[in-house]
Amino acid sequence: MFKRKSTRKFKAVACFAAVLALCFTVFTGCGSKEASQVVIYSNADDEAVAAMTDTLNDNGYEGKFIFQSFGTSELGGKLLAEGTDIEADIVTMSSYYMDSAQEQNSMFQDLDFDVDTIKEVPSYYAPFLANQGAILLNTEVMKENNLPTPKSLKDLAKPVYKGFISVVDIEGSSTAWLMVQALVDAYGEKEAQKILEDIYTNAGAHMEQSGSGPIKKVRAGEVAIGFGLRHQAVADKEEGLPVDFVDPTEGNFTLTEGIGIIDKGEDTNKLAMEMVRCIIENGRSKLMEYYPVPLYNGEKADDNAVSKNSKEFKEPLTVELLEKHQALSEAAKEALAK
């Protein structure tokens, strides 16, 4: 359209246009880089997010991803309600929620790499950590109040522990589900509900909505006994805090967290699969420093790191089963109000 001209005016305009084009390229380049960031939704604890972040940064992905944290119930609700319309590219989440979301929405992409897990898992996620429940103790508060050491979860229902216990509300955190599973498995639903009534009576104002609530109160000496995550008590004891733990006779039940990729068809972020593989293949050693339950062949935990009385619930863990056990817990609370 334009013929070459040698006028100074044209050179000035051309120069100005080139500068504008360069600026446009720079800014749109930044915009596209921002748009290509992998969005990771996670219900994981701070330690797990830090381990995954360090792993990705150390392996060339620094600045290419962003974590957004949610509570388990909140993120589970988003998975079930939004399906593949969810903003996230990668999700780390309780495996039972991922199973239910996949069944309802077919929203996760099959992984394109092998996972050498100890137990068989679905093709659409890789397990990346597991939590076990246990009874937590503050040894100083136990001694000061001459409290007997509980051996079972059923013991926590005894009147001697009234006012000395902190437990989690299953409506607030899935950590509580570890306790409810153990009670239902050992005693059946009817007796488990009665035991929960007495445990909730003993806990009183120390019913927590956060899974880390009981360990924080045990550490601080606000209570003598809690129910929470075993690995936290193990770490506190090793650090010399007056914290100990008891593996209950009913068994230590486990919840597994998985990591998967949202299947958005052609819009699936190309880096998502690389990052998931990176976390599993390079990040497990970091994760096992906090969450020592072995999940992959060849992994080993210290003798004290994992309970020798580990158990699995007799039914597959699903959102529907969680809701059933939540209803049982609510019935126990309602009985107290009468």
Side-chain angles (χ1 to χ4, degrees), residues 174-190:
S174 59
T175 297
W177 199 14
L178 296 167
M179 182 175 74
V180 176
Q181 284 182 51
L183 290 173
V184 172
D185 182 79
Y187 307 109
E189 291 182 7
K190 186 175 180 180

Side-chain angles (χ1 to χ4, degrees), residues 260-298:
I261 298 161
I262 305 299
D263 188 354
K264 299 183 178 182
E266 294 182 357
D267 294 328
T268 302
N269 196 307
K270 300 298 186 290
L271 286 178
M273 190 71 71
E274 291 181 26
M275 290 187 182
V276 169
R277 184 169 187 169
C278 176
I279 289 169
I280 296 303
E281 295 184 353
N282 302 306
R284 278 292 296 158
S285 59
K286 294 180 185 289
L287 288 162
M288 284 193 72
E289 293 176 11
Y290 300 99
Y291 312 93
V293 178
L295 296 172
Y296 290 81
N297 289 314

Side-chain angles (χ1 to χ4, degrees), residues 20 78 102 225 289 305:
L20 284 178
K78 288 180 73 67
Q102 180 71 354
I225 302 168
E289 293 176 11

Side-chain angles (χ1 to χ4, degrees), residues 132-134 136 228-235 245 247 252 304-307:
Q132 284 190 324
L136 321 172
L229 300 182
R230 189 181 189 276
H231 72 272
Q232 293 178 322
V234 171
F245 60 95
D247 292 328
N252 302 74
N304 198 37
V306 180
S307 169

Side-chain angles (χ1 to χ4, degrees), residues 136-142 145 147 161 163-167 202-203 205-208 213-227 242:
L136 321 172
L137 306 175
N138 183 300
T139 54
E140 292 180 350
V141 180
M142 293 287 292
N145 293 277
L147 294 172
Y161 297 118
F164 290 105
I165 291 177
S166 176
V167 295
N202 287 345
H206 298 299
M207 283 277 289
E208 308 297 327
I215 187 64
K216 289 178 180 177
K217 288 195 171 181
V218 168
R219 284 174 187 151
E222 293 184 45
V223 296
I225 302 168
F227 180 87

